[in-house]
């Protein structure tokens, strides 16, 4: 797990809490800000997911190249 995945997940959770708080106190502003924060968090987590996938693919490629050189 990388920092974008962690930060994105945390931002999503914080946004959900802010949205619920807004609903509880009747604040549309807090609800909207919470929804926006959730969206930002989801995007940031996806960026982290892509970074991890690229890193994994690079490692797989390197392993395959080492294997080919040794056999």
């Amino acid at each position: 797990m990388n920092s974008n995945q962690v930060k994105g997940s945390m931002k999503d959770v914080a946004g959900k809490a802010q949205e619920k708080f807004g609903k509880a106190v009747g604040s549309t502003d807090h609800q909207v800000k919470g929804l926006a924060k959730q969206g930002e968090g989801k995007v940031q987590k996806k960026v982290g997911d892509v970074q991890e996938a690229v890193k994994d693919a690079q490692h797989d490629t390197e392993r395959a190249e080492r294997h080919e050189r040794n056999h």
Side-chain angles (χ1 to χ4, degrees), residues 20-69:
K20 286 183 181 184
F21 173 77
K23 286 180 181 178
V25 298
S27 171
T28 305
D29 186 50
H30 279 299
Q31 291 177 51
V32 169
K33 286 180 182 178
L35 289 168
K37 194 177 286 188
Q38 288 175 59
E40 290 172 21
K42 285 178 171 62
V43 169
Q44 187 171 8
K45 184 178 179 306
K46 285 292 180 193
V47 168
D49 292 346
V50 169
Q51 290 171 328
E52 284 295 305
V54 168
K55 188 171 80 174
D56 290 346
Q58 287 173 335
H59 287 149
D60 290 346
T61 300
E62 291 168 1
R63 250 180 296 192
E65 289 172 351
R66 279 194 304 273
H67 181 74
E68 295 232 349
R69 280 193 300 258

